[in-house]
Amino acid sequence: MKLSAYILTYNSERYIGEIIDKLSCVADEILILDSGSTDSTINIASQSPKVVICYRSFDNFKEQRNYAAMKCAYNAVFFVDSDEIPDKELINSLKKIKEEQNELKLKAYSVKRQWEVLGRSVHAIYPVVCPDNVVRLFDRRYVSFADNSNIVLLRI
């Protein structure tokens, strides 16, 4: 199974190199959808041979996410935010899915997300309890973003 990964960026130089490094172990392509960064985000991202860089002015997250998924080369799509560094357990889980499946068996997979702010674990940011579970891996033929934060299944 081939896997695309995407990251929405805007002045994301702080973590982008580490995120790309982690994703390079599992993704067949990494799409960077940038909204006009003025820092070194693009320079850092362009160092990886797996990275494809696209530009789109930011209007809202829904449209950015849908556009990024559309630009991905493969139907299996994984994404992280530009301040989320995948840990070893997540990368190993993605590798296992790739090794065991020709295509995604489920239309969407959620990831348990643990928040850290200023180096400390967060247990709640009202109204969200942490850790939370968010969809981060999906088959783009069936899944699309309905609003700024939710995913809707298009076909079952």
Side-chain angles (χ1 to χ4, degrees):
M1 178 178 70
K2 297 286 189 178
L3 177 68
S4 292
Y6 76 75
I7 310 163
L8 305 182
T9 60
Y10 177 75
N11 291 340
S12 303
E13 68 183 4
R14 184 170 182 185
Y15 301 112
I16 197 68
E18 189 172 357
I19 296 167
I20 291 170
D21 186 49
K22 301 279 186 177
L23 291 177
S24 291
C25 297
V26 69
D28 297 288
E29 84 162 339
I30 301 169
L31 180 96
I32 301 295
L33 181 57
D34 191 71
S35 300
S37 293
T38 57
D39 66 359
S40 61
T41 298
I42 299 304
N43 290 337
I44 295 167
S46 65
Q47 301 303 308
S48 172
K50 289 190 176 184
V51 168
V52 175
I53 298 172
C54 297
Y55 300 91
R56 186 178 186 278
S57 295
F58 184 85
D59 48 2
N60 61 61
F61 283 107
K62 170 187 137 184
E63 297 304 326
Q64 291 298 97
R65 292 187 198 289
N66 284 329
Y67 184 82
M70 177 191 72
K71 296 297 276 184
C72 286
Y74 307 108
N75 289 325
V77 177
F78 177 76
F79 74 96
V80 292
D81 291 341
S82 64
D83 62 351
E84 295 177 328
I85 301 168
D87 64 13
K88 188 175 185 175
E89 183 180 354
L90 176 58
I91 295 299
N92 287 339
S93 295
L94 291 170
K95 284 180 181 178
K96 186 175 180 182
I97 289 170
K98 279 186 68 174
E99 291 168 3
E100 293 177 354
Q101 301 178 27
N102 291 332
E103 64 177 43
L104 294 177
K105 290 180 183 174
L106 302 176
K107 293 174 179 65
Y109 296 74
S110 65
V111 171
K112 186 176 182 180
R113 178 175 59 177
Q114 176 65 49
W115 297 1
E116 288 188 14
V117 176
L118 301 173
R120 298 179 64 165
S121 291
V122 174
H123 299 289
I125 297 178
Y126 184 79
V128 179
V129 176
C130 182
D132 60 348
N133 292 296
V134 291
V135 171
R136 293 302 169 126
L137 174 63
F138 62 95
D139 185 326
R140 69 179 181 171
R141 295 172 296 181
Y142 301 98
V143 176
S144 174
F145 290 87
D147 62 33
N148 290 350
S149 61
N150 296 317
I151 294 181
V152 161
L153 295 180
L154 296 177
R155 294 185 298 255
I156 296 181

mmCIF file of all heavy atoms in Angstrom, residues 71-103:
data_model
loop_
_atom_site.group_PDB
_atom_site.id
_atom_site.type_symbol
_atom_site.label_atom_id
_atom_site.label_comp_id
_atom_site.label_asym_id
_atom_site.label_seq_id
_atom_site.Cartn_x
_atom_site.Cartn_y
_atom_site.Cartn_z
ATOM 1 N N LYS A 71 -4.622 16.792 -3.577
ATOM 2 C CA LYS A 71 -3.310 16.875 -4.216
ATOM 3 C C LYS A 71 -2.413 15.674 -3.913
ATOM 4 O O LYS A 71 -1.410 15.461 -4.589
ATOM 5 C CB LYS A 71 -2.580 18.158 -3.788
ATOM 6 C CG LYS A 71 -3.267 19.440 -4.230
ATOM 7 C CD LYS A 71 -3.330 19.575 -5.717
ATOM 8 C CE LYS A 71 -2.070 20.141 -6.289
ATOM 9 N NZ LYS A 71 -2.123 20.382 -7.730
ATOM 10 N N CYS A 72 -2.774 14.889 -2.915
ATOM 11 C CA CYS A 72 -1.974 13.711 -2.572
ATOM 12 C C CYS A 72 -2.010 12.701 -3.716
ATOM 13 O O CYS A 72 -3.010 12.559 -4.410
ATOM 14 C CB CYS A 72 -2.497 13.065 -1.289
ATOM 15 S SG CYS A 72 -2.082 13.995 0.202
ATOM 16 N N ALA A 73 -0.932 11.967 -3.879
ATOM 17 C CA ALA A 73 -0.822 10.997 -4.970
ATOM 18 C C ALA A 73 -1.580 9.703 -4.691
ATOM 19 O O ALA A 73 -1.982 9.018 -5.622
ATOM 20 C CB ALA A 73 0.648 10.684 -5.236
ATOM 21 N N TYR A 74 -1.768 9.366 -3.416
ATOM 22 C CA TYR A 74 -2.337 8.069 -3.062
ATOM 23 C C TYR A 74 -3.631 8.226 -2.275
ATOM 24 O O TYR A 74 -3.869 9.250 -1.635
ATOM 25 C CB TYR A 74 -1.320 7.246 -2.259
ATOM 26 C CG TYR A 74 0.008 7.149 -2.973
ATOM 27 C CD1 TYR A 74 1.124 7.834 -2.507
ATOM 28 C CD2 TYR A 74 0.124 6.411 -4.150
ATOM 29 C CE1 TYR A 74 2.338 7.769 -3.183
ATOM 30 C CE2 TYR A 74 1.323 6.338 -4.828
ATOM 31 C CZ TYR A 74 2.427 7.023 -4.345
ATOM 32 O OH TYR A 74 3.619 6.959 -5.032
ATOM 33 N N ASN A 75 -4.480 7.199 -2.323
ATOM 34 C CA ASN A 75 -5.773 7.248 -1.638
ATOM 35 C C ASN A 75 -5.659 7.134 -0.126
ATOM 36 O O ASN A 75 -6.475 7.674 0.606
ATOM 37 C CB ASN A 75 -6.704 6.159 -2.168
ATOM 38 C CG ASN A 75 -7.175 6.456 -3.569
ATOM 39 O OD1 ASN A 75 -7.387 7.602 -3.936
ATOM 40 N ND2 ASN A 75 -7.321 5.415 -4.367
ATOM 41 N N ALA A 76 -4.661 6.420 0.370
ATOM 42 C CA ALA A 76 -4.421 6.344 1.811
ATOM 43 C C ALA A 76 -3.676 7.614 2.216
ATOM 44 O O ALA A 76 -2.569 7.877 1.746
ATOM 45 C CB ALA A 76 -3.606 5.118 2.166
ATOM 46 N N VAL A 77 -4.324 8.406 3.061
ATOM 47 C CA VAL A 77 -3.778 9.717 3.434
ATOM 48 C C VAL A 77 -3.672 9.818 4.950
ATOM 49 O O VAL A 77 -4.625 9.539 5.672
ATOM 50 C CB VAL A 77 -4.673 10.856 2.897
ATOM 51 C CG1 VAL A 77 -4.148 12.215 3.353
ATOM 52 C CG2 VAL A 77 -4.771 10.801 1.376
ATOM 53 N N PHE A 78 -2.506 10.236 5.405
ATOM 54 C CA PHE A 78 -2.257 10.499 6.817
ATOM 55 C C PHE A 78 -1.872 11.965 6.941
ATOM 56 O O PHE A 78 -1.206 12.504 6.070
ATOM 57 C CB PHE A 78 -1.115 9.604 7.336
ATOM 58 C CG PHE A 78 -0.753 9.871 8.760
ATOM 59 C CD1 PHE A 78 -1.557 9.405 9.791
ATOM 60 C CD2 PHE A 78 0.373 10.607 9.077
ATOM 61 C CE1 PHE A 78 -1.242 9.659 11.116
ATOM 62 C CE2 PHE A 78 0.709 10.856 10.396
ATOM 63 C CZ PHE A 78 -0.103 10.387 11.418
ATOM 64 N N PHE A 79 -2.288 12.608 8.021
ATOM 65 C CA PHE A 79 -1.868 13.990 8.207
ATOM 66 C C PHE A 79 -1.614 14.304 9.665
ATOM 67 O O PHE A 79 -2.146 13.666 10.566
ATOM 68 C CB PHE A 79 -2.881 14.973 7.611
ATOM 69 C CG PHE A 79 -4.149 15.124 8.413
ATOM 70 C CD1 PHE A 79 -4.292 16.157 9.326
ATOM 71 C CD2 PHE A 79 -5.201 14.237 8.241
ATOM 72 C CE1 PHE A 79 -5.465 16.295 10.058
ATOM 73 C CE2 PHE A 79 -6.372 14.371 8.961
ATOM 74 C CZ PHE A 79 -6.506 15.405 9.878
ATOM 75 N N VAL A 80 -0.744 15.271 9.862
ATOM 76 C CA VAL A 80 -0.480 15.830 11.184
ATOM 77 C C VAL A 80 -0.457 17.341 11.049
ATOM 78 O O VAL A 80 -0.267 17.886 9.962
ATOM 79 C CB VAL A 80 0.868 15.337 11.780
ATOM 80 C CG1 VAL A 80 0.824 13.861 12.099
ATOM 81 C CG2 VAL A 80 2.033 15.664 10.876
ATOM 82 N N ASP A 81 -0.659 18.000 12.169
ATOM 83 C CA ASP A 81 -0.507 19.444 12.202
ATOM 84 C C ASP A 81 0.982 19.770 12.245
ATOM 85 O O ASP A 81 1.809 18.929 12.600
ATOM 86 C CB ASP A 81 -1.219 20.036 13.423
ATOM 87 C CG ASP A 81 -2.729 19.936 13.318
ATOM 88 O OD1 ASP A 81 -3.251 19.745 12.192
ATOM 89 O OD2 ASP A 81 -3.405 20.044 14.358
ATOM 90 N N SER A 82 1.325 21.002 11.930
ATOM 91 C CA SER A 82 2.736 21.374 11.826
ATOM 92 C C SER A 82 3.425 21.539 13.180
ATOM 93 O O SER A 82 4.595 21.899 13.233
ATOM 94 C CB SER A 82 2.889 22.651 11.000
ATOM 95 O OG SER A 82 2.267 23.741 11.654
ATOM 96 N N ASP A 83 2.708 21.248 14.256
ATOM 97 C CA ASP A 83 3.341 21.232 15.574
ATOM 98 C C ASP A 83 3.171 19.882 16.268
ATOM 99 O O ASP A 83 3.374 19.763 17.469
ATOM 100 C CB ASP A 83 2.811 22.356 16.460
ATOM 101 C CG ASP A 83 1.317 22.251 16.738
ATOM 102 O OD1 ASP A 83 0.635 21.398 16.116
ATOM 103 O OD2 ASP A 83 0.818 23.031 17.576
ATOM 104 N N GLU A 84 2.811 18.857 15.497
ATOM 105 C CA GLU A 84 2.624 17.512 16.034
ATOM 106 C C GLU A 84 3.717 16.592 15.501
ATOM 107 O O GLU A 84 3.778 16.319 14.305
ATOM 108 C CB GLU A 84 1.266 16.941 15.624
ATOM 109 C CG GLU A 84 0.095 17.693 16.198
ATOM 110 C CD GLU A 84 -1.243 17.160 15.716
ATOM 111 O OE1 GLU A 84 -1.335 16.675 14.573
ATOM 112 O OE2 GLU A 84 -2.193 17.252 16.501
ATOM 113 N N ILE A 85 4.551 16.118 16.391
ATOM 114 C CA ILE A 85 5.640 15.234 16.003
ATOM 115 C C ILE A 85 5.218 13.791 16.266
ATOM 116 O O ILE A 85 4.978 13.423 17.418
ATOM 117 C CB ILE A 85 6.925 15.568 16.781
ATOM 118 C CG1 ILE A 85 7.319 17.028 16.517
ATOM 119 C CG2 ILE A 85 8.052 14.611 16.385
ATOM 120 C CD1 ILE A 85 8.394 17.543 17.436
ATOM 121 N N PRO A 86 5.085 12.981 15.221
ATOM 122 C CA PRO A 86 4.675 11.583 15.420
ATOM 123 C C PRO A 86 5.703 10.833 16.269
ATOM 124 O O PRO A 86 6.909 10.947 16.042
ATOM 125 C CB PRO A 86 4.624 11.013 14.008
ATOM 126 C CG PRO A 86 4.581 12.190 13.099
ATOM 127 C CD PRO A 86 5.288 13.301 13.816
ATOM 128 N N ASP A 87 5.206 10.050 17.227
ATOM 129 C CA ASP A 87 6.134 9.269 18.039
ATOM 130 C C ASP A 87 6.381 7.911 17.391
ATOM 131 O O ASP A 87 5.758 7.552 16.391
ATOM 132 C CB ASP A 87 5.648 9.136 19.485
ATOM 133 C CG ASP A 87 4.343 8.360 19.635
ATOM 134 O OD1 ASP A 87 3.908 7.696 18.670
ATOM 135 O OD2 ASP A 87 3.766 8.422 20.724
ATOM 136 N N LYS A 88 7.308 7.161 17.977
ATOM 137 C CA LYS A 88 7.715 5.875 17.423
ATOM 138 C C LYS A 88 6.543 4.898 17.350
ATOM 139 O O LYS A 88 6.402 4.144 16.386
ATOM 140 C CB LYS A 88 8.845 5.296 18.266
ATOM 141 C CG LYS A 88 9.480 4.068 17.705
ATOM 142 C CD LYS A 88 10.678 3.638 18.540
ATOM 143 C CE LYS A 88 11.371 2.474 17.893
ATOM 144 N NZ LYS A 88 12.591 2.113 18.620
ATOM 145 N N GLU A 89 5.688 4.897 18.368
ATOM 146 C CA GLU A 89 4.534 3.995 18.400
ATOM 147 C C GLU A 89 3.587 4.264 17.228
ATOM 148 O O GLU A 89 3.109 3.332 16.578
ATOM 149 C CB GLU A 89 3.786 4.145 19.722
ATOM 150 C CG GLU A 89 2.617 3.219 19.882
ATOM 151 C CD GLU A 89 1.901 3.401 21.214
ATOM 152 O OE1 GLU A 89 2.377 4.165 22.072
ATOM 153 O OE2 GLU A 89 0.827 2.774 21.374
ATOM 154 N N LEU A 90 3.336 5.521 16.931
ATOM 155 C CA LEU A 90 2.464 5.880 15.808
ATOM 156 C C LEU A 90 3.097 5.462 14.480
ATOM 157 O O LEU A 90 2.433 4.860 13.628
ATOM 158 C CB LEU A 90 2.162 7.377 15.814
ATOM 159 C CG LEU A 90 1.343 7.905 14.643
ATOM 160 C CD1 LEU A 90 -0.007 7.195 14.537
ATOM 161 C CD2 LEU A 90 1.148 9.409 14.775
ATOM 162 N N ILE A 91 4.363 5.755 14.307
ATOM 163 C CA ILE A 91 5.046 5.381 13.066
ATOM 164 C C ILE A 91 5.027 3.864 12.887
ATOM 165 O O ILE A 91 4.749 3.364 11.790
ATOM 166 C CB ILE A 91 6.490 5.930 13.041
ATOM 167 C CG1 ILE A 91 6.482 7.465 13.025
ATOM 168 C CG2 ILE A 91 7.277 5.367 11.868
ATOM 169 C CD1 ILE A 91 5.790 8.102 11.822
ATOM 170 N N ASN A 92 5.273 3.119 13.953
ATOM 171 C CA ASN A 92 5.236 1.650 13.866
ATOM 172 C C ASN A 92 3.840 1.142 13.526
ATOM 173 O O ASN A 92 3.694 0.181 12.769
ATOM 174 C CB ASN A 92 5.744 1.018 15.161
ATOM 175 C CG ASN A 92 7.245 1.154 15.309
ATOM 176 O OD1 ASN A 92 7.970 1.354 14.330
ATOM 177 N ND2 ASN A 92 7.728 1.077 16.533
ATOM 178 N N SER A 93 2.810 1.777 14.067
ATOM 179 C CA SER A 93 1.429 1.396 13.734
ATOM 180 C C SER A 93 1.139 1.641 12.262
ATOM 181 O O SER A 93 0.509 0.807 11.591
ATOM 182 C CB SER A 93 0.435 2.171 14.595
ATOM 183 O OG SER A 93 0.572 1.813 15.948
ATOM 184 N N LEU A 94 1.596 2.758 11.730
ATOM 185 C CA LEU A 94 1.401 3.052 10.309
ATOM 186 C C LEU A 94 2.156 2.050 9.436
ATOM 187 O O LEU A 94 1.630 1.585 8.422
ATOM 188 C CB LEU A 94 1.846 4.480 9.992
ATOM 189 C CG LEU A 94 0.988 5.592 10.580
ATOM 190 C CD1 LEU A 94 1.667 6.945 10.393
ATOM 191 C CD2 LEU A 94 -0.407 5.591 9.975
ATOM 192 N N LYS A 95 3.367 1.710 9.834
ATOM 193 C CA LYS A 95 4.144 0.705 9.082
ATOM 194 C C LYS A 95 3.417 -0.633 9.058
ATOM 195 O O LYS A 95 3.354 -1.296 8.021
ATOM 196 C CB LYS A 95 5.527 0.520 9.712
ATOM 197 C CG LYS A 95 6.498 1.619 9.410
ATOM 198 C CD LYS A 95 7.835 1.333 10.072
ATOM 199 C CE LYS A 95 8.828 2.449 9.809
ATOM 200 N NZ LYS A 95 10.115 2.199 10.484
ATOM 201 N N LYS A 96 2.855 -1.023 10.191
ATOM 202 C CA LYS A 96 2.140 -2.298 10.273
ATOM 203 C C LYS A 96 0.927 -2.296 9.352
ATOM 204 O O LYS A 96 0.672 -3.277 8.641
ATOM 205 C CB LYS A 96 1.715 -2.562 11.720
ATOM 206 C CG LYS A 96 1.096 -3.909 11.931
ATOM 207 C CD LYS A 96 0.814 -4.157 13.400
ATOM 208 C CE LYS A 96 0.181 -5.525 13.569
ATOM 209 N NZ LYS A 96 -0.173 -5.819 14.939
ATOM 210 N N ILE A 97 0.181 -1.211 9.336
ATOM 211 C CA ILE A 97 -0.982 -1.111 8.442
ATOM 212 C C ILE A 97 -0.528 -1.230 6.988
ATOM 213 O O ILE A 97 -1.131 -1.954 6.200
ATOM 214 C CB ILE A 97 -1.751 0.211 8.680
ATOM 215 C CG1 ILE A 97 -2.467 0.149 10.039
ATOM 216 C CG2 ILE A 97 -2.755 0.478 7.558
ATOM 217 C CD1 ILE A 97 -3.058 1.479 10.483
ATOM 218 N N LYS A 98 0.545 -0.536 6.631
ATOM 219 C CA LYS A 98 1.052 -0.604 5.259
ATOM 220 C C LYS A 98 1.481 -2.012 4.874
ATOM 221 O O LYS A 98 1.233 -2.458 3.767
ATOM 222 C CB LYS A 98 2.241 0.349 5.080
ATOM 223 C CG LYS A 98 1.852 1.779 4.862
ATOM 224 C CD LYS A 98 3.075 2.613 4.542
ATOM 225 C CE LYS A 98 3.633 2.230 3.204
ATOM 226 N NZ LYS A 98 4.733 3.045 2.721
ATOM 227 N N GLU A 99 2.144 -2.705 5.791
ATOM 228 C CA GLU A 99 2.649 -4.045 5.506
ATOM 229 C C GLU A 99 1.538 -5.081 5.385
ATOM 230 O O GLU A 99 1.649 -6.026 4.618
ATOM 231 C CB GLU A 99 3.622 -4.473 6.605
ATOM 232 C CG GLU A 99 4.912 -3.714 6.598
ATOM 233 C CD GLU A 99 5.743 -3.934 7.856
ATOM 234 O OE1 GLU A 99 5.332 -4.736 8.728
ATOM 235 O OE2 GLU A 99 6.800 -3.290 7.961
ATOM 236 N N GLU A 100 0.464 -4.903 6.138
ATOM 237 C CA GLU A 100 -0.592 -5.913 6.210
ATOM 238 C C GLU A 100 -1.747 -5.686 5.244
ATOM 239 O O GLU A 100 -2.575 -6.572 5.062
ATOM 240 C CB GLU A 100 -1.149 -5.975 7.637
ATOM 241 C CG GLU A 100 -0.142 -6.490 8.647
ATOM 242 C CD GLU A 100 -0.664 -6.488 10.066
ATOM 243 O OE1 GLU A 100 -1.785 -5.979 10.306
ATOM 244 O OE2 GLU A 100 0.058 -6.996 10.954
ATOM 245 N N GLN A 101 -1.807 -4.519 4.629
ATOM 246 C CA GLN A 101 -2.981 -4.203 3.818
ATOM 247 C C GLN A 101 -2.568 -3.707 2.437
ATOM 248 O O GLN A 101 -1.609 -2.954 2.307
ATOM 249 C CB GLN A 101 -3.835 -3.128 4.509
ATOM 250 C CG GLN A 101 -4.318 -3.544 5.881
ATOM 251 C CD GLN A 101 -5.111 -2.458 6.579
ATOM 252 O OE1 GLN A 101 -5.723 -1.607 5.960
ATOM 253 N NE2 GLN A 101 -5.100 -2.502 7.897
ATOM 254 N N ASN A 102 -3.342 -4.108 1.417
ATOM 255 C CA ASN A 102 -3.141 -3.571 0.069
ATOM 256 C C ASN A 102 -3.776 -2.202 -0.066
ATOM 257 O O ASN A 102 -3.337 -1.377 -0.856
ATOM 258 C CB ASN A 102 -3.727 -4.518 -0.976
ATOM 259 C CG ASN A 102 -2.953 -5.803 -1.068
ATOM 260 O OD1 ASN A 102 -1.754 -5.828 -0.795
ATOM 261 N ND2 ASN A 102 -3.623 -6.875 -1.423
ATOM 262 N N GLU A 103 -4.856 -2.000 0.656
ATOM 263 C CA GLU A 103 -5.493 -0.694 0.779
ATOM 264 C C GLU A 103 -6.133 -0.660 2.158
ATOM 265 O O GLU A 103 -6.273 -1.677 2.815
ATOM 266 C CB GLU A 103 -6.512 -0.435 -0.322
ATOM 267 C CG GLU A 103 -7.705 -1.349 -0.327
ATOM 268 C CD GLU A 103 -8.686 -0.958 -1.424
ATOM 269 O OE1 GLU A 103 -8.252 -0.654 -2.545
ATOM 270 O OE2 GLU A 103 -9.885 -0.970 -1.129
#
